[in-house]
Structure formats: structure tokens, C-alpha cells
Amino acid sequence: MNPTATAFEFSLAGQKLTGHSGILELMDDLGRAMTVDSDMRMLGGGNPATVPGMQTLVRGRMRELLDDGETFERMMLNYDPPQGNPRFIRALAELLQREYGWDIGPQNIAVTSGGQSGLFYLFNLLAGRFAGGRSKKILLPLAPEYIGYADQGIEPDLFLACRPDIEWLPDGGGNIFKYRIDFAAVEKALARGDVGAIVASRPTNPSGNVLTDAEVARLSALAAGRNIPLILDNAYGTPFPGVMFVPAKPFLAPHVILVLSLSKLGLPGTRTGIVIAPEPIAKAISSLTAIVGLANSNIGQQLVLPWIESGKILELGPKILRPFYEEKGRVATSWARECFNAAGVDWALHANEGAFFHWLWLKNLRITSRELYERLKVRKVLTVPGEYFFFGLEHDWPHRHECLRLNFSRDTETVREGYRIIAEEVAKASK
Ligand SMILES: Cc1ncc(COP(=O)(O)O)c(C=O)c1O
């Protein structure tokens, strides 16, 4: 049989989830460029850096597991319950109760295969088509938002996004801005009556924005007023991994769902996400895990278990990760200033409040950021064009075509050379 001659029909859901989206194409392109070209300067992906202090801890812990025959065998030979490892879940609930006084227990926690799967389950539980022909959306109160959400809806057009206000920071020399939630826009979107949940990443991928405590409290009140959940995606944030450079309090309320992950701690290969939610939602996530994959990988949970039991996991951000990434960001900002000023381009960066990206805004660009991405690829610099982070907006916005996301956590030489080349290409492509 010639498999290419057989066109099997996919279901509507199958077509939606496998159809060619711009993002999939872009990810493919990024992956291919990296594998065929070892000279490529990778400022594009979302991988965490090799943080020396963290690697030592992980290796040490892995050795401990290998030497502890009983735990190692259990870890490798047993399926965990779909909810996750009971000891891990109990320890996490106790830690969060102890540290933050949160009224939660093991019944409020479900482990997933990365935060990504957890978000997929949540979005499709809370939005899409409902009984009686109703349909609901996921509201992004602040676009740009994480590219990885964009294609997660089983139903099309799952997202509704709001443009933010842009504030110039007084000590940024005219080059540093911060997005702020436009609450009038959020309230207008909620008034449609078809929002099933609000979601925001904190810190935000791509901009490195950290929603202030006041913004989170206000979003929470709006969600409570509509009787819908607020999902806070803390992939980079608090309580861990804590890659944040401004103060921000961990937040939980009875209608708030937190998505945590071990990835940005330096363990993306273990695929460990954690959903903290009202009991019926945590239960639903466990059911979905059982159906989709029986159980999750338990390696990440076992690796960090003693750090959860002792509370050490909360120190890794402030003591190891934050200093590392904050310094990378500071140095990269000084190169941006140097390179872009020297090239005479009109540039701005979002305030780097967390995560490990620069969000570069080029106001006088004559071409789209997708075209700029192509030109930079020819010059062996890989970036992520901004267009893809603005899904869910009802109207086009020129800003959408003027931004690039740069991962500044690579080695010094790669980042410095990358920024120099970007400045050269931007100068050629500016009005
Ligand atoms: C904002 C945000 N949320 C969620 C994820 C998913 O991460 P993981 O599935 O590795 O936990 C990422 C990954 O880059 C992210 O940037």
C-alpha cells in the first residue's frame, strides 16, 4: 500500500488541531533552521538556560535517586495515579498552606504533563461549545500573550483578547515601556456574557511583563463577579520557579486556578506541570490525564520532592535563578541600548520584569516582523516575530507587526552578536 495515496478523513476536532497554523509552521521553521545550521544564533526558543547552580543540584538529586534503589525502582516501574504522586501532592499542599495560608489540600492539586497540557485541558473544559447551543471564550486581558495558547482550542476562535495601555517608564530614557491592563476593555469584553474564563501568564511570555498585585486583585474581582475562574499561568513566576525581578505576591482565591511548572526551574525534559484549582476542576484534570495518558511522568516529581517537603523549592528562584537571569537581562539591555542607538533606529523594550525575553518594539519598521524574522534568519539570527502573540484581538493593530521576541539567556557572545545584527537589519528596514 502506498500510504501517500490514502487520504483518511480527520474529524472536525482532528482537523482543527492538526490544521496548518502559522505558529506550527514557524516552530517547524525554527526547529529546522537550528538542526541544519549549527552557526545559527538562537534567540528564538523558550528553553531555559543551563544555570550552573541549578544543574549541580539536579545532578546531585539524580545521583541520590539512582543510589536509593527502592525509590528509583518505584519511580521507574510504577504508574502514578492520574492525579500525580500522592506524596508529592500532599507535600505541595502542605507547603502552600504553611507558606501562604492557602486553604487547599491534596484534592485541589492535579499534576499534568507540563503546564502546556494542563492549559489545554482547562481551556477546553471552560470554553468552546456548551449545552443549548451556547458557546464560551477564554479572555486574555492583556495581549500580547503566550504563543502556545493560540492553537489549543478544540473549537475555532476560542480566544478573545484586549489591547493594553502602554506606559513609558520615567527612568527608561524614553526606550522602556510597560503594558498595563485596560480594564475598560476587559469589562466591555466580559459584558458580552460569553467569557468562560480569564487567563494571563505572570510573568507574561513574550513581554516579560509582571501583572501588578493590584491588577491581579482587580481581575480576580471581575472574574468572581461573573462567576468564572481566573487562570494564572505562573510558568516563570511565583511561588516557583520565581524568575521575577519585581515584587509580586502569589495569589489564590476560591475561583482562581494556578498553573505551575517545573520547566523554567530547569526541568522541561521531565514534563511536569501542576494545576491548583477548585476540587471539581482538579478532579476533571485527573480524569483527562487518565484518559489521554493514564499517568504523568513521575521523574520530575521525585526529583524535587525533598525540596517541596523542606520548602527549599521556594529559595531556588531568589537565590539561583533570579540573579542569573536578571544579570543576563541587564547585560542584554545595555547591548540593546548600545547597538540600537549606534544604528540610529527608533527602538523600545518592554520593562524586563521577569522571564527571559526581551520584547523589542520597532516603531518605524517598513516591513512586518515576520519579514524581519526572515531577513534575520538569512543573517543567522533566529528570533520569534511578534505577530503570533496577538491572537484573539478583534481588530488589527499596527503594533502587532512591530515587535520581536528575543531570548536573552544564551551565551554572551551569541546574544551580543545577535543584537548587533538585528540593529543592522532594522536600520536597513526602517523608514
Ligand atoms: C507562559 C508559558 N506557559 C506555559 C508554558 C508551558 O510550559 P511547560 O509545558 O513546559 O510546563 C510555557 C512554556 O514556554 C510558557 O512560556
Side-chain angles (χ1 to χ4, degrees):
M1 186 176 76
N2 175 359
T4 56
T6 318
F8 296 114
E9 190 183 6
F10 281 175
S11 67
L12 290 178
Q15 289 178 38
K16 165 65 182 64
L17 292 174
T18 59
H20 270 287
S21 73
I23 294 160
L24 281 179
E25 252 171 54
L26 175 73
M27 291 304 170
D28 225 37
D29 197 48
L30 280 166
R32 224 170 316 107
M34 275 311 285
T35 37
V36 297
D37 198 339
S38 56
D39 298 338
M40 204 51 105
R41 296 172 191 88
M42 184 55 161
L43 306 185
N47 272 341
T50 310
V51 182
M54 200 60 222
Q55 290 317 110
T56 312
L57 286 176
V58 170
R59 277 173 183 271
R61 193 44 210 137
M62 193 56 119
R63 247 178 236 119
E64 229 171 75
L65 278 171
L66 279 170
D67 292 343
D68 174 351
E70 203 193 324
T71 309
F72 182 76
E73 302 310 333
R74 232 185 303 123
M75 176 175 87
M76 299 310 261
L77 284 169
N78 291 343
Y79 290 109
D80 269 344
Q83 188 194 357
N85 183 289
R87 190 167 156 196
F88 173 85
I89 287 174
R90 196 177 346 104
L92 183 59
E94 283 169 10
L95 174 68
L96 299 175
Q97 284 161 6
R98 200 164 65 233
E99 283 294 321
Y100 308 116
W102 290 349
D103 181 19
I104 59 166
Q107 71 282 3
N108 299 107
I109 298 179
V111 174
T112 56
S113 180
Q116 191 74 14
S117 309
L119 289 155
F120 175 81
Y121 297 152
L122 288 168
F123 293 161
N124 289 293
L125 280 169
L126 298 167
R129 281 198 294 150
F130 285 71
R134 290 166 306 136
S135 113
K136 294 192 197 176
K137 291 192 179 286
I138 299 288
L139 176 65
L140 311 169
L142 193 161
E145 223 348 319
Y146 173 44
I147 197 169
Y149 301 154
D151 285 318
Q152 288 205 310
I154 293 175
E155 295 293 323
D157 301 322
L158 203 74
F159 295 98
L160 182 64
C162 299
R163 267 167 67 159
D165 292 327
I166 293 176
E167 180 183 316
W168 292 94
L169 298 192
D171 53 357
N175 297 105
I176 309 290
F177 68 101
K178 176 172 167 63
Y179 293 131
R180 298 257 183 212
I181 294 179
D182 175 353
F183 278 98
V186 171
E187 287 185 36
K188 194 168 156 216
L190 287 169
R192 293 165 41 124
D194 65 348
V195 172
I198 303 176
V199 67
S201 57
R202 186 187 194 226
T204 311
N205 175 359
S207 59
N209 184 43
V210 173
L211 295 181
T212 62
D213 292 337
E215 283 174 314
V216 171
R218 202 162 160 193
L219 280 182
S220 167
L222 286 173
R226 296 260 162 197
N227 207 17
I228 57 174
L230 167 64
I231 304 170
L232 293 173
D233 175 0
N234 292 341
Y236 302 82
T238 175
F240 55 81
V243 185
M244 283 195 307
F245 320 131
V246 292
K249 289 203 185 82
F251 185 88
L252 191 67
H255 63 294
V256 168
I257 301 172
L258 299 186
V259 180
L260 308 178
S261 167
L262 299 186
S263 294
K264 312 303 172 180
L265 211 58
L267 298 168
T270 70
R271 309 307 303 127
T272 315
I274 302 153
V275 175
I276 298 170
E279 188 174 350
I281 290 185
K283 241 195 192 127
I285 301 284
S286 305
S287 304
L288 284 162
T289 292
I291 291 164
V292 174
L294 293 185
N296 299 294
S297 163
N298 51 15
I299 296 176
Q301 297 171 72
Q302 285 294 350
L303 269 172
V304 303
L305 182 62
W307 306 339
I308 300 262
E309 287 178 334
S310 67
K312 178 178 173 159
I313 194 151
L314 304 178
E315 295 169 10
L316 301 176
K319 289 204 174 139
I320 301 178
L321 300 176
R322 172 180 174 163
F324 178 90
Y325 286 113
E326 195 170 22
E327 175 63 8
K328 289 260 180 203
R330 200 189 53 72
V331 172
T333 303
S334 71
W335 289 333
R337 207 169 271 289
E338 191 182 304
C339 298
F340 290 111
N341 285 344
V345 296
D346 191 354
W347 63 279
L349 288 178
H350 192 286
N352 177 219
E353 299 181 325
F356 33 77
F357 307 111
H358 264 163
W359 182 243
L360 175 64
W361 179 14
L362 302 159
K363 283 183 268 180
N364 287 337
L365 212 53
R366 266 187 293 106
I367 58 176
T368 63
S369 68
R370 176 76 207 220
E371 286 170 73
L372 180 60
Y373 158 82
E374 294 292 347
R375 291 187 188 185
L376 288 169
K377 196 170 65 174
V378 173
R379 299 280 316 271
K380 298 197 183 298
V381 180
L382 272 188
T383 61
V384 183
E387 269 92 343
Y388 299 102
F389 298 90
F390 291 88
F391 53 95
L393 283 177
E394 283 188 300
H395 305 288
D396 199 16
W397 182 21
H399 186 60
R400 200 184 148 194
H401 305 286
E402 299 169 346
C403 300
L404 277 186
R405 193 193 76 179
L406 311 171
N407 182 329
F408 58 62
S409 71
R410 303 295 106 197
D411 64 279
T412 307
E413 213 27 58
T414 301
V415 180
R416 188 204 283 269
E417 259 309 276
Y419 278 43
R420 191 186 60 72
I421 294 166
I422 294 169
E424 268 179 32
E425 286 301 317
V426 170
K428 280 191 230 160
S430 292
K431 290 171 201 149

